[in-house]
Amino acid sequence: MTKQRDDARRILHDVFGYPDFRGRQAEIVDTLAGGRSLLVLMPTGGGKSLCYQIPALMREGVAIVVSPLIALMNDQVANLRAVGVHSASVHSGTHPDEVRQIAEDIHNGSLKLLYVAPERLVSERFLRFLDNTRISLFAIDEAHCVSQWGHDFRPEYQQLGLLAERYPQVPRIALTATADAETRADIKHYLKLEDAPEFIASFDRPNIRYQVVEKNNGKKQLLDFILKDMQGESGIVYCLSRKSVEDTAEFLSSHGLNAIPYHAGLSMETRTQNQRRFTQEDNIIVVATVAFGMGIDKPDVRFVAHLDMPQSIEHFYQESGRAGRDGLPAASWLCYGMNNLMLLKERIMESGSDDFQKQIELSKLNAMFAVCETAECRRVPLLRHFGEESGPCGNCDNCLNPPVRFDGTVLVQKLLSCIYRVGQRFGAGYVINVLRGKNEDWIKQNGHDKLSTFGIGAEQSDKDWRAVTRQCLGLGLIDTDTANYQALRLTPAAKAVLTGGQTVWLRPLKRQKTTSTGSKTQWLRTEREERIWQELRHWRLEQAKAENVPAYIIFGDRTLQSIVQNLPQTEADLHEIYGLGEAKIEKYGSDVLDLCAKFMQEADDGGDVF
Ligand code: ADP
Ligand code: ZN
């Protein structure tokens, strides 16, 4: 057993260049390499691939990896080839000559991993080929595709259970980043993993810093955030509509940023080209609808911004989770407002779903909204949503810059009683106008200018009242009528405030200055390090262009960081650099050493005298 562990660790270091396993990777590798099937749940960026790639190198035969998207397969194969592991993928676009070569390499035992789409795997022709092949293991990636509960349902996945019957001696690993209880049950059922152990990693992504701001001029706020913290970095900006995608991309470009749009209305050619630029270059911002992202494994995305609030925590977590897969500091920035909430409610209410489904979706939306409104740590409710209890994280806006709350009981009582007096039939705009004593015809026609609450809130601005309303929604004191989704109404919790004298603490109504979220390059300690970092990035980009692969396939950001901080001088030093295995040392080692020698030389020339 320990020999097996030593082997796994040696491969981790020599091939992939990493010093240690993360989380439960070591146990998972051990289980699979030992020939047992299992189910793995890990958040995006958690490191699922190594869980089967290392056992594939430890066991005899070829590993068959099922993956739902060609883009994912290609990315994995490019990564493996870059570290010197013989792997390939077969899909609709693979040339017949190449397929023949792959078959030959499998039979002569040189190919270690083969990526295939599920429909090909379950075809009789392919299965007959496998019958005469030595298979080390089956890995079923994105295993939630098996379930109709999820949003990525792929019917062919449900047939993968046949692998258990046809190849009972071959261990299988199912992996996914999104699996609630129902999905997990489906995975176990359809993939015949009922008795297999489950390895569930924490869903926390500690390197992602969460920041939520209230919207007043979204695009401008976004621009400020990028200019302040994220200039020159790769990022994704999500918008709700195509129009807003176009506008935002144009706005950011007009301010000198490399922003490109991506949505389903663009031609296939433009989409492919824009996606390609995003993955290959290292300072592109993609502005996109949620259509963008699945199948993009770029590890050095430094920020994900939401210009509108997503409809659920699951969506938010999956989208924001595309930042910082390499484990370096990354940011999730979210901008939201009440209109945003109302629009999403409207979408749900006007969708064709039945009432039960609508209720589920509304409660998911409210949970998301509560994360935006909270004055406490953001991570706590996010993780609780995935069944994990945690304490304040120290890496979100509320932890870093705790909002100073004030006793807002009187303001809240005014709002609640006004909502009550207008009959719980009107939207926020109307209620606020009554509170502020606006002499509008509609208000007069309804006789609401005679109410005791008419004009009792004249001292506060419209904006202030909107902030109070939002917070009351977030606190669950009010909600909106399901039949008339604009209309505000009181919840049972409101009673304690109106008649029970319960105190309500509110966040400041005026927007607080946002704190810097800190970018990746915070670790750069000196100007010299900054220069070395830039030169290495430049070298990496040139190299990537020459090889026609994404920059991160050459070296990840963490590898560059490790080089900047250690300035290796000998080949032995290179083995200590994060992410440098033998294949990369052989290929790029001398370039790196030359560059480092040059930097050392500069220092000796007196660059650092002062
Ligand atoms: P997932 O598939 O779970 O989203 P990946 O397998 O793509 O995540 O891994 C995310 C990143 O983390 C990759 O760049 C990978 O090389 C890196 N990684 C995985 N395991 C380790 C480890 N033990 N040490 C260092 N980096 C790792
Ligand atoms: Zn926090």
Side-chain angles (χ1 to χ4, degrees):
M1 214 12 109
T2 47
K3 161 136 191 342
Q4 187 176 300
R5 291 219 162 176
D6 288 347
D7 284 351
R9 189 165 286 279
R10 214 188 46 244
I11 294 174
L12 179 73
H13 182 267
D14 294 353
V15 177
F16 295 93
Y18 297 139
D20 290 303
F21 282 111
R22 269 193 205 155
R24 305 190 69 184
Q25 277 177 334
E27 291 168 78
I28 295 169
V29 167
D30 221 28
T31 307
L32 187 61
R36 271 172 302 149
S37 295
L38 69 161
L39 168 61
V40 169
L41 261 88
M42 241 184 225
T44 306
K48 285 185 283 299
S49 319
L50 287 187
C51 293
Y52 61 84
Q53 288 170 347
I54 290 180
L57 297 179
M58 295 167 73
R59 291 174 63 85
E60 258 187 70
V62 62
I64 306 295
V65 186
V66 186
S67 178
L69 293 174
I70 295 178
L72 285 178
M73 296 186 204
N74 289 344
D75 198 65
Q76 295 272 346
V77 171
N79 262 312
L80 285 168
R81 287 186 179 163
V83 298
V85 173
H86 189 18
S87 59
S89 63
V90 270
H91 48 71
S92 47
T94 315
H95 194 274
D97 286 348
E98 204 184 328
V99 176
R100 267 190 292 279
Q101 182 65 47
I102 289 169
E104 198 181 309
D105 289 352
I106 290 176
H107 281 144
N108 69 30
S110 64
L111 194 83
K112 293 312 291 178
L113 293 104
L114 179 67
Y115 287 78
V116 289
E119 53 276 19
R120 179 179 299 253
L121 176 53
V122 298
S123 71
E124 196 45 45
R125 202 182 141 115
F126 195 80
L127 289 170
R128 272 205 305 277
F129 171 78
L130 287 186
D131 289 343
N132 301 310
T133 300
R134 175 133 200 178
I135 306 165
S136 58
L137 58 92
F138 287 108
I140 299 155
D141 206 2
E142 312 287 350
H144 61 280
C145 292
V146 83
S147 172
Q148 277 166 292
W149 283 89
H151 29 78
D152 304 321
F153 177 53
R154 293 279 296 263
E156 319 83 46
Y157 261 72
Q158 294 193 340
Q159 295 174 42
L160 294 172
L162 67 82
L163 299 176
E165 284 148 18
R166 196 150 170 160
Y167 310 102
Q169 72 293 357
V170 180
R172 291 163 298 127
I173 178 170
L175 311 109
T176 177
T178 42
D180 47 38
E182 290 88 357
T183 310
R184 221 182 303 161
D186 276 356
I187 293 175
K188 296 190 124 190
H189 170 73
Y190 287 110
L191 300 183
K192 304 220 167 4
L193 288 168
E194 280 95 351
D195 303 322
E198 288 180 32
F199 290 82
I200 303 180
S202 166
F203 269 65
D204 191 13
R205 299 286 310 280
N207 60 316
I208 298 183
R209 180 169 292 183
Y210 296 101
Q211 186 183 5
V212 180
V213 301
E214 292 156 30
K215 190 185 281 188
N216 55 25
N217 178 350
K219 280 192 296 219
K220 174 79 174 47
Q221 288 169 285
L222 173 68
L223 178 68
D224 289 346
F225 159 72
I226 297 176
L227 291 182
K228 194 155 139 213
D229 289 324
M230 292 293 161
Q231 225 166 350
E233 306 290 5
S234 299
I236 305 175
V237 176
Y238 284 113
C239 304
L240 279 183
S241 70
R242 291 178 188 180
K243 168 134 187 12
S244 146
V245 164
E246 300 272 345
D247 290 351
T248 309
E250 216 177 282
F251 176 78
L252 295 179
S253 303
S254 73
H255 285 84
L257 297 171
N258 289 327
I260 53 181
Y262 188 101
H263 60 69
L266 295 171
S267 72
M268 191 61 181
E269 200 190 324
T270 313
R271 270 187 286 163
T272 312
Q273 192 192 342
N274 286 359
Q275 171 160 344
R276 201 184 161 86
R277 278 194 67 194
F278 178 66
T279 37
Q280 304 223 330
E281 298 174 29
D282 62 5
N283 60 351
I284 302 283
I285 298 168
V286 165
V287 186
T289 53
V290 288
F292 182 82
M294 168 99 173
I296 293 193
D297 255 353
K298 188 175 168 63
D300 55 358
V301 176
R302 292 271 68 86
F303 70 92
V304 170
H306 284 90
L307 207 47
D308 299 290
M309 184 180 77
Q311 76 251 43
S312 72
I313 291 182
E314 286 89 345
H315 283 90
F316 171 68
Y317 214 69
Q318 194 178 37
E319 287 151 20
S320 62
R322 292 180 181 132
R325 292 162 88 105
D326 54 10
L328 286 174
S332 156
W333 182 91
L334 166 65
C335 182
Y336 79 109
M338 198 148 57
N339 292 346
N340 187 186
L341 176 73
M342 295 305 172
L343 183 75
L344 287 170
K345 283 200 176 181
E346 196 174 310
R347 278 195 188 177
I348 294 173
M349 298 315 294
E350 287 174 1
S351 70
S353 321
D354 59 36
D355 284 353
F356 181 67
Q357 190 64 32
K358 283 180 185 169
Q359 276 315 316
I360 294 178
E361 284 175 19
L362 283 176
S363 71
K364 287 187 169 191
L365 179 58
N366 286 335
M368 182 70 236
F369 189 67
V371 171
C372 297
E373 275 299 327
T374 186
E376 318 272 351
C377 174
R378 311 256 183 217
R379 204 176 303 263
V380 170
L382 287 174
L383 289 177
R384 186 176 302 134
H385 193 80
F386 297 102
E388 282 178 47
E389 288 304 323
S390 61
C393 72
N395 195 24
C396 71
D397 51 356
N398 286 345
C399 280
L400 289 165
N401 206 11
V404 187
R405 281 176 284 182
F406 70 100
D407 181 347
T409 314
V410 174
L411 288 176
V412 172
Q413 283 172 338
K414 285 181 180 175
L415 176 72
L416 297 181
S417 61
C418 192
I419 290 171
Y420 182 73
R421 300 220 180 255
V422 300
Q424 311 193 66
R425 285 185 295 116
F426 293 88
Y430 185 92
V431 172
I432 290 171
N433 281 342
V434 174
L435 274 170
R436 301 188 62 229
K438 295 272 173 199
N439 277 314
E440 288 184 358
D441 290 346
W442 194 20
I443 293 180
K444 284 191 203 143
Q445 278 158 23
N446 289 328
H448 289 156
D449 55 339
K450 306 282 180 314
L451 293 177
S452 57
T453 52
F454 183 76
I456 56 169
E459 277 165 29
Q460 272 72 35
S461 68
D462 184 75
K463 237 188 198 160
D464 287 352
W465 280 116
R466 284 184 179 269
V468 176
T469 312
R470 263 202 322 268
Q471 293 195 50
C472 286
L473 279 164
L475 290 167
L477 296 172
I478 54 179
D479 66 9
T480 50
D481 196 323
T482 38
N484 173 4
Y485 42 81
Q486 295 282 359
L488 297 176
R489 61 180 188 186
L490 307 186
T491 66
K495 198 167 169 212
V497 178
L498 268 179
T499 57
Q502 186 192 306
T503 309
V504 186
W505 295 94
L506 295 181
R507 283 183 294 119
L509 305 182
K510 303 270 178 290
R511 222 156 47 90
Q512 283 179 310
K513 259 204 169 144
T514 49
T515 44
S516 174
T517 56
S519 71
K520 155 190 72 177
T521 33
Q522 236 176 21
W523 54 267
L524 290 170
R525 292 163 301 192
T526 60
E527 221 177 299
R528 177 162 169 261
E529 283 190 351
E530 165 85 41
R531 211 177 56 245
I532 299 176
W533 164 253
Q534 294 302 355
E535 284 201 36
L536 283 168
R537 269 180 38 137
H538 179 75
W539 169 84
R540 177 176 68 175
L541 193 62
E542 293 299 308
Q543 201 64 43
K545 280 188 187 151
E547 294 183 35
N548 193 25
V549 293
Y552 62 79
I553 295 281
I554 307 286
F555 285 167
D557 281 359
R558 261 182 100 164
T559 301
L560 291 194
Q561 175 179 356
S562 179
I563 295 172
V564 173
Q565 289 173 337
N566 297 297
L567 289 185
Q569 296 179 53
T570 63
E571 188 176 326
D573 293 346
L574 289 174
H575 286 278
E576 301 312 312
I577 298 294
Y578 181 96
L580 287 194
E582 276 158 4
K584 287 197 181 178
I585 291 178
E586 192 175 320
K587 195 159 172 194
Y588 308 115
S590 63
D591 273 14
V592 172
L593 290 178
D594 287 351
L595 277 166
C596 291
K598 193 182 112 197
F599 300 139
M600 298 297 283
Q601 180 69 37
E602 278 175 19
D604 291 345
D605 288 347
D608 272 2
V609 173
F610 297 106

